[in-house]
Amino acid sequence: MYLKYISLNKAIPFLNSVVSAALFLMLFLHLFFYPKTNAEEKKRILTPIPDGLVVLTFDDGNVSDLKTVAPLLREYGFNATFFISGGFGIGRNGRLGWNEIKALDKLGFEIGNHTASHPNLVGTPKFRIRTEIEDFDKECSKRSVSQPISFAYPGGHADQKSIEVLVEQNYTFARRGTDPELPLLDWGGRGVAYDPLRDHPLMIPSTLVVGPNTDLSDLEWAVRQARDGKISVITFHGVPDIFSHCSTSPEKFAEHIQYLSNQSTKVISIRDLSKYVDTSKRFENYFEAIKDRLGIQPFDLKCEYLTRATESVAPRPRLSWKLKSNRRQQMQLAYQILVSSREDLLKENVGDLWDSGKVMSSNSIQIPYQGKALQSHRRSYWKVRVWNQPGEDGRYANRGYLDPQIVALLKESQPSAYSPINVLPALDQIEVPTDRSEFESKVQYICSEVVIDNIRSQVHQVFAVSFLSSSLMVSEKLTLLKMKILSQIQNIFSKDLVGLRSLSSDFENIEIKPLFVKELVWLKDEMDTVRGRIITRWERRDEEIHFRVQLPTNTKVDIYFTNSLSPGIKLIESGIPVWQGEKFIAGASGILGAARVGEVLVIKAGGGLYNFRILH
């Protein structure tokens, strides 16, 4: 900073000294106090993150960006970031030329840096990464395109050294893919929401990569993640793209944009995040948020009682919880339960009634309480944390795309945060069914009714809908009869068409034998279990069968492909071959193995979301 002033009068030294002192004071305040005030002011004027905040990004610079995407975005008043790379040829092979890139810039869309040649940065030396970024920046300057402040890692693969180069080059934001929290899926898939309080702005995750694997239900899921201060980041490629594995049809894209509009989402570019995100926030580690997401997390805590509380019989509550994880094939390794007489004690992680310690067990269902005697007239409080089974969850093919620090984290057992606090009600206030088997069967019927109503509407009234709809709950006996009828109908779906059943009483081991009936175009089934919801869906697309299954964490499944297989069949999961040439091919995350038994192909997998394609 340079300050210039003119001496008022050399003959008045006193006045001249006062002016000098005042200017010195101004300089002192500017150097030592103004930067702090400016940071505080910037933080104060940040716009609160609204629910439904969505970032749209488009990778690789396809000609459809200007011809198809931009007009539709402008029609809806949406912004977006277009990440351009010279790796696929600028101005050729279906890619934008510099005049078209400049036109997008002039329309108000953000042009982001996607490197000069689209290399895998994990395997690229640091000096080469610097050149990749600088060369694209120089070309933008030469072509009078706005200087990029946002970057997208080619293939979504980021590591320590590439982040350090972006820091050197003064980049503000950088977007990665879905990996490692979720497996790398070339054909598209779900990721995690961007949390500005946890994720470094140079490590923004993709919440959803749209591709052949995904449909409108995935977009609906992604939008639901944009709440409580989190932001959904949606990644597209070409509409359509010259590469089929990442292509989106114009019809599908229009459907997605219409949905975003119907949900009244706020759709922005990555650089617009500056209005909402404090980019001056310090992070101890670029990968800290990733580490926190690699484990499993307990939720939906439940408490049941084996007996009533009486003077002669001590109550024994049984504690259960469900588990969720971003990763596939995750199993619980251990748990720790804390039970306290006061909520404030439990918030300090003090279990004055029971501290189970670290118990090595995969069980999360009906754990018997083993603490101090509970008082009949007082409620108590409990929570649980868990450890996951360490392992790479089968991502052998992806190791070359991950930072060595992340590969090491995948092999560690990660402790979860404690679950939200759950209340153990006062024992004398609990009504427990005397005949527990009858109680459980009624609950099953009630769940069946909900599921069947859902299935009934989706299978185009295969069953007598009018009869079911007109069955009014006139009496308890009629209600129970209706439940039994609906339960029988669900058995037709779940056991016959979907082929879903548990091989153990607690749904830890699951068997699915889908029946691909020629007369049906598609079929969807949902079932709530003690471990979480199981969702299966299959549909015919031309000569292919697409089969999607979502399984709870801490479960294992055997999937039997029966009437769909013939010699020479090819089975693909999320773009990765699993069965080809009558052999199992390792590499797909979460897939433990495959073998043919006669005309049946059996796939073994862990919990998670899978997308299979059967090609004849």
Side-chain angles (χ1 to χ4, degrees):
M1 177 179 179
Y2 299 94
L3 298 175
K4 297 176 65 177
Y5 70 96
I6 301 174
S7 178
L8 297 179
N9 192 335
K10 293 183 180 180
I12 313 178
F14 174 75
L15 182 59
N16 196 46
S17 299
V18 170
V19 173
S20 298
L23 291 174
F24 175 79
L25 179 60
M26 290 172 59
L27 178 61
F28 177 80
L29 292 173
H30 178 84
L31 292 176
F32 293 98
F33 291 96
Y34 180 74
K36 180 178 179 181
T37 304
N38 186 49
E40 291 177 349
E41 180 68 14
K42 180 180 179 181
K43 187 174 182 179
R44 185 183 68 80
I45 63 175
L46 284 174
T47 302
I49 298 174
D51 288 350
L53 186 62
V54 174
V55 172
L56 283 187
T57 65
F58 298 81
D59 286 11
D60 300 339
N62 296 272
V63 292
S64 61
D65 292 349
L66 185 61
K67 293 181 178 180
T68 305
V69 174
L72 194 59
L73 295 182
R74 295 193 74 197
E75 177 183 338
Y76 283 91
F78 293 167
N79 208 339
T81 299
F82 294 90
F83 287 110
I84 310 297
S85 172
F88 301 105
I90 291 182
R92 55 190 176 86
N93 300 326
R95 305 298 177 181
L96 295 170
W98 277 108
N99 287 336
E100 296 164 307
I101 296 170
K102 188 175 181 179
L104 280 174
D105 183 37
K106 295 297 183 183
L107 288 173
F109 297 108
E110 180 185 17
I111 303 300
N113 189 331
H114 202 31
T115 72
S117 65
H118 205 275
N120 172 15
L121 299 184
V122 175
T124 304
K126 195 170 184 178
F127 76 91
R128 179 62 181 167
I129 296 174
R130 187 178 294 109
T131 301
E132 286 282 341
I133 295 172
E134 290 178 345
D135 284 355
F136 184 84
D137 287 347
K138 291 176 182 177
E139 198 66 30
C140 285
S141 179
K142 176 182 176 182
R143 305 283 183 168
S144 300
V145 173
S146 299
Q147 197 66 23
I149 65 167
S150 301
F151 181 82
Y153 301 96
H157 315 307
D159 65 355
Q160 180 82 22
K161 65 180 185 300
S162 57
I163 299 170
E164 291 172 353
V165 174
L166 290 172
V167 172
E168 295 172 6
Q169 300 296 320
N170 295 316
Y171 268 78
T172 306
F173 300 107
R175 195 218 68 214
R176 56 187 176 91
T178 61
D179 212 31
E181 293 97 330
L182 279 89
L184 173 69
L185 304 177
D186 282 344
W187 291 72
R190 298 178 182 183
V192 297
Y194 167 43
D195 185 349
L197 297 180
R198 300 173 62 196
D199 292 294
H200 193 284
L202 295 178
M203 285 290 283
I204 297 174
S206 292
T207 312
L208 178 66
V209 177
V210 179
N213 256 357
T214 68
D215 56 25
L216 188 61
S217 66
D218 295 295
L219 181 66
E220 293 170 353
W221 171 87
V223 171
R224 290 197 300 270
Q225 310 312 302
R227 64 177 186 270
D228 301 327
K230 297 183 179 64
I231 302 166
S232 184
V233 181
I234 313 297
T235 298
F236 288 89
H237 289 77
V239 185
D241 198 285
I242 61 174
F243 297 117
S244 60
H245 73 272
C246 58
S247 183
T248 301
S249 69
E251 295 78 16
K252 180 176 178 178
F253 178 68
E255 176 190 50
H256 282 36
I257 296 301
Q258 181 66 59
Y259 177 80
L260 293 176
S261 176
N262 292 344
Q263 297 302 306
S264 300
T265 57
K266 175 74 173 177
V267 181
I268 63 173
S269 66
I270 283 191
R271 71 180 172 197
D272 293 333
L273 288 171
S274 298
K275 304 173 185 176
Y276 305 91
V277 176
D278 179 13
T279 55
S280 66
K281 176 179 168 60
R282 299 288 183 178
F283 291 84
E284 294 182 3
N285 189 308
Y286 296 122
F287 304 123
E288 193 64 30
I290 292 175
K291 179 180 179 180
D292 293 342
R293 295 186 182 119
L294 291 182
I296 55 180
Q297 182 66 38
F299 73 105
D300 196 13
L301 278 60
K302 301 289 186 184
C303 174
E304 298 175 312
Y305 288 82
L306 292 176
T307 61
R308 293 180 187 275
T310 66
E311 294 182 359
S312 60
V313 181
R316 294 190 60 213
R318 300 186 299 188
L319 309 178
S320 303
W321 57 89
K322 295 177 183 177
L323 294 163
K324 57 184 177 181
S325 174
N326 295 310
R327 298 165 64 188
R328 294 176 176 176
Q329 195 191 328
Q330 285 295 286
M331 300 294 291
Q332 177 183 289
L333 176 69
Y335 66 81
Q336 181 182 15
I337 298 172
L338 297 180
V339 183
S340 180
S341 59
R342 301 203 321 260
E343 187 173 6
D344 60 327
L345 284 178
L346 196 56
K347 289 180 179 179
E348 298 297 324
N349 298 332
V350 176
D352 63 323
L353 295 178
W354 185 35
D355 182 344
S356 70
K358 185 176 180 179
V359 179
M360 304 301 292
S361 172
S362 64
N363 190 17
S364 62
I365 308 298
Q366 297 181 341
I367 308 296
Y369 173 79
Q370 299 178 25
K372 297 178 183 179
L374 299 173
Q375 299 181 26
S376 297
H377 303 287
R378 291 188 61 181
R379 62 170 52 183
S380 49
Y381 306 86
W382 74 286
K383 63 182 180 180
V384 63
R385 66 171 173 168
V386 297
W387 285 260
N388 70 319
Q389 187 77 37
E392 295 183 52
D393 58 7
R395 56 180 75 211
Y396 314 109
N398 305 339
R399 192 175 298 160
Y401 300 123
L402 297 176
D403 187 285
Q405 296 179 63
I406 296 177
V407 174
L409 289 175
L410 288 169
K411 298 179 180 179
E412 296 179 6
S413 179
Q414 306 289 341
S416 73
Y418 277 106
S419 66
I421 293 175
N422 192 262
V423 175
L424 288 177
L427 304 183
D428 58 355
Q429 298 177 2
I430 295 178
E431 290 293 331
V432 183
T434 54
D435 185 348
R436 185 167 186 81
S437 61
E438 178 184 352
F439 172 73
E440 289 178 342
S441 65
K442 287 185 179 181
V443 172
Q444 182 181 2
Y445 290 140
I446 292 172
C447 291
S448 299
E449 181 176 4
V450 175
V451 174
I452 286 298
D453 283 346
N454 186 28
I455 294 174
R456 185 186 64 208
S457 63
Q458 295 182 3
V459 186
H460 307 292
Q461 302 179 354
V462 171
F463 297 99
V465 178
S466 59
F467 167 74
L468 296 175
S469 300
S470 61
S471 297
L472 303 177
M473 296 187 180
V474 178
S475 66
E476 183 177 350
K477 182 178 293 187
L478 178 58
T479 301
L480 185 58
L481 175 62
K482 177 184 177 183
M483 291 177 182
K484 289 181 178 179
I485 293 173
L486 290 171
S487 181
Q488 291 173 0
I489 295 175
Q490 185 190 0
N491 286 337
I492 295 175
F493 275 86
S494 295
K495 292 184 179 180
D496 297 334
L497 294 179
V498 178
L500 173 62
R501 71 187 184 98
S502 176
L503 300 179
S504 55
S505 59
D506 60 357
F507 276 87
E508 180 178 355
N509 298 290
I510 303 165
E511 179 183 270
I512 300 177
K513 294 183 177 180
L515 185 62
F516 303 118
V517 181
K518 292 183 179 180
E519 288 74 18
L520 291 179
V521 177
W522 62 271
L523 177 67
K524 180 180 180 181
D525 180 56
E526 299 185 13
M527 176 183 288
D528 283 319
T529 73
V530 291
R531 293 184 180 270
R533 177 166 292 189
I534 300 173
I535 303 175
T536 60
R537 175 190 170 104
W538 65 263
E539 64 176 308
R540 299 182 184 277
R541 297 183 189 175
D542 299 325
E543 299 300 318
E544 299 179 0
I545 295 177
H546 290 235
F547 178 69
R548 171 182 283 203
V549 57
Q550 183 170 342
L551 303 161
T553 299
N554 210 33
T555 62
K556 297 178 182 178
V557 65
D558 290 346
I559 304 175
Y560 292 74
F561 293 107
T562 55
N563 65 326
S564 60
L565 293 175
S566 59
I569 202 75
K570 183 177 181 181
L571 184 68
I572 296 175
E573 197 289 306
S574 297
I576 300 176
V578 174
W579 184 266
Q580 186 173 3
E582 295 300 299
K583 292 182 180 180
F584 168 61
I585 303 173
S589 173
I591 304 296
L592 304 175
R596 184 187 281 276
V597 182
E599 296 183 356
V600 178
L601 177 62
V602 183
I603 303 292
K604 293 185 176 294
L609 174 62
Y610 298 89
N611 292 277
F612 294 99
R613 295 170 61 222
I614 304 171
L615 288 73
H616 293 274

